[in-house]
Amino acid sequence: MIDYGKAGLAVIGMGWIGEYMVPCYERLLGNGYESRILAVKATDRRLEELRKRYGFEIMTGDCLERLKALRPAFLVLSVRPYEMAGVVEGTVKPYIGFLRNQGAPMPLIISFAPSPRPEWYTQVLGEDVRTVCVLPAMETSIGGVDVYSLASSQVTYDQGIPLAEGHREAVGRFLEPLGKVLWCTPEESMALLSMNITYHMLYLLCFALEGHYGAGGCARAAGILYALNCGRLGRPGLVKPVAEPEEADKRQLAWLEKGWYEGAFDFAAGHGRLPDGAPSPNVRVLAPQAFELHLLSLQLESRQFLEEKLKDHATPGGMTEKAVKEFKRLWEEVQSGAHGCRIPLKGSGSMAYDISYRLAEQVYQRGISLERG
């Protein structure tokens, strides 16, 4: 069993994600965790600020010798996907080789990059090293509203190499501050991520509808979609609108809510199957949560904040950037009349379903291409 009170943890990549996960480091290690953490940054930007804020060791540069001294039980990798191969080959692999030569226990590696897949780490580091890949829940509070009950993190691992005793418990403990944990196969996780990113494009949908609804139109459009979704799925919803949307507004957007929800949902259900071919039960868990979370953000946060947030998520070459580009292309088709309507408010459910499904498919293919390098 893991002695959390004595275990150490190292973070390679103390950027935005690395900092976001600080409550998880504390939850995993318990009291006095600061003395058992090493964090590594690529540059000295904000270095002193972070040291003062968190009180644990944060360094830049080559960390191999510090890893050898600390011998952490947990090694967190939170660098960009295109940096991961260099970090694993240049730092992690030599460290694992050192431990192997010493006959020392191997750390559990926790990767926060959406690619590569868990199997890649096994191939590079060896079958005695266990790696879990995490897509973390990114929000537990929106505009002051507690959304912990809607938050889920996806976790995958090499299906051919069972996790060691205590690892599943450790991952659950680690991710507890962020909500539920959904254990997935890599294929299932990619399909769920594609669905979630497609629902994220509700931002752009509501931005586009803002001109119709006037001042505050983005939040109003989101509120109508939110009420429709909760009503159709029989969910109470975490917030109640100041004023219940009028029935005329609901009728105007009912096709859009249903089609957008079901298109990405059906794609994920069809492509995120379990090894025995059964549909993933995680689709039914994640879909309503993700849809509601994105609509809550649109209602409770400013458009400027949402635009910056979307920009942060749409890293160059990534899946969210692909979604943004593909959404804009498909939306231009709608505006040009290619789908039989110039005004989005007069579309059809089949049109919304088709765009949502195609968008999820394009995002999925982008994810697969990133996995393959």
Side-chain angles (χ1 to χ4, degrees):
M1 296 297 292
I2 300 170
D3 186 346
Y4 298 107
K6 294 181 179 178
L9 180 147
V11 183
I12 300 180
M14 190 61 182
W16 192 84
I17 290 290
E19 188 176 359
Y20 175 73
M21 304 304 297
V22 168
C24 298
Y25 313 151
E26 181 177 7
R27 175 67 186 93
L28 180 65
L29 302 184
N31 292 335
Y33 78 100
E34 296 93 342
S35 64
R36 292 176 278 124
I37 287 189
L38 167 68
V40 184
K41 282 179 53 64
T43 71
D44 61 2
R45 179 177 174 271
R46 297 182 62 228
L47 183 62
E48 292 305 319
E49 174 192 339
L50 293 174
R51 284 172 173 169
K52 292 177 181 177
R53 176 176 298 175
Y54 298 115
F56 50 75
E57 181 182 1
I58 305 177
M59 63 172 287
T60 60
D62 186 5
C63 64
L64 182 57
E65 293 306 314
R66 287 294 298 122
L67 287 175
K68 291 178 180 179
L70 181 64
R71 296 199 184 188
F74 305 98
L75 184 54
V76 174
L77 307 180
S78 56
V79 300
R80 295 179 179 87
Y82 64 83
E83 298 172 326
M84 188 61 75
V87 167
V88 171
E89 293 281 1
T91 300
V92 179
K93 189 174 182 179
Y95 174 59
I96 293 299
F98 164 79
L99 293 177
R100 200 172 278 130
N101 290 337
Q102 297 286 315
M106 296 296 163
L108 173 63
I109 296 176
I110 304 173
S111 171
F112 285 95
S115 61
R117 290 162 62 107
E119 297 92 324
W120 178 85
Y121 296 90
T122 304
Q123 293 167 5
V124 173
L125 300 175
E127 293 188 359
D128 55 342
V129 181
R130 302 296 189 273
T131 301
V132 294
C133 295
V134 180
L135 294 174
M138 300 308 298
E139 294 162 316
T140 56
S141 176
I142 298 175
V145 175
D146 182 356
V147 297
Y148 181 88
S149 63
L150 297 177
S152 296
S153 298
Q154 296 170 220
V155 183
T156 64
Y157 63 95
D158 186 342
Q159 300 294 296
I161 309 293
L163 293 177
E165 182 181 0
H167 281 172
R168 189 178 287 262
E169 176 195 356
V171 171
R173 178 184 174 111
F174 179 75
L175 293 173
E176 187 178 319
L178 304 184
K180 303 181 188 71
V181 174
L182 300 180
W183 290 91
C184 311
T185 66
E187 293 78 11
E188 182 187 10
S189 182
M190 184 62 71
L192 292 172
L193 176 60
S194 302
M195 176 186 71
N196 196 356
I197 291 175
T198 300
Y199 290 162
H200 197 172
M201 294 307 102
L202 287 165
Y203 283 26
L204 296 179
L205 268 173
C206 288
F207 292 168
L209 293 171
E210 189 166 40
H212 173 81
Y213 288 110
C218 181
R220 183 179 172 192
I224 297 168
L225 293 171
Y226 186 78
L228 285 164
N229 186 252
C230 290
R232 190 168 61 83
L233 299 181
R235 296 168 61 87
L238 286 186
V239 300
K240 296 295 182 185
V242 175
E244 181 70 20
E246 296 179 4
E247 288 304 314
D249 287 333
K250 289 183 179 180
R251 286 193 299 271
Q252 206 169 41
L253 290 186
W255 63 273
L256 184 58
E257 178 276 323
K258 185 174 187 294
W260 202 264
Y261 182 88
E262 293 184 348
F265 179 98
D266 284 353
F267 178 85
H271 289 75
R273 293 184 176 274
L274 301 179
D276 63 1
S280 163
N282 287 327
V283 178
R284 295 195 177 279
V285 174
L286 187 63
Q289 294 177 349
F291 206 82
E292 183 171 353
L293 279 171
H294 292 308
L295 289 174
L296 280 172
S297 292
L298 283 157
Q299 292 177 85
L300 301 173
E301 294 169 340
S302 70
R303 175 161 177 174
Q304 180 181 358
F305 177 89
L306 295 167
E307 288 175 335
E308 286 298 320
K309 178 179 170 183
L310 185 58
K311 182 180 177 181
D312 287 341
H313 286 196
T315 53
M319 294 170 68
T320 302
E321 183 193 55
K322 176 66 174 178
V324 171
K325 290 181 177 179
E326 189 66 12
F327 173 89
K328 290 179 178 178
R329 185 184 71 79
L330 292 169
W331 195 253
E332 286 174 2
E333 287 185 15
V334 172
Q335 296 294 76
S336 68
H339 285 272
C341 72
R342 293 187 57 82
I343 302 173
L345 300 178
K346 294 182 180 178
S348 67
S350 61
M351 181 191 84
Y353 179 99
D354 179 57
I355 294 176
S356 179
Y357 189 100
R358 289 165 61 193
L359 185 56
E361 184 175 40
Q362 289 293 320
V363 174
Y364 179 84
Q365 292 301 328
R366 179 57 183 160
I368 295 298
S369 68
L370 287 172
E371 286 186 337
R372 293 171 179 169

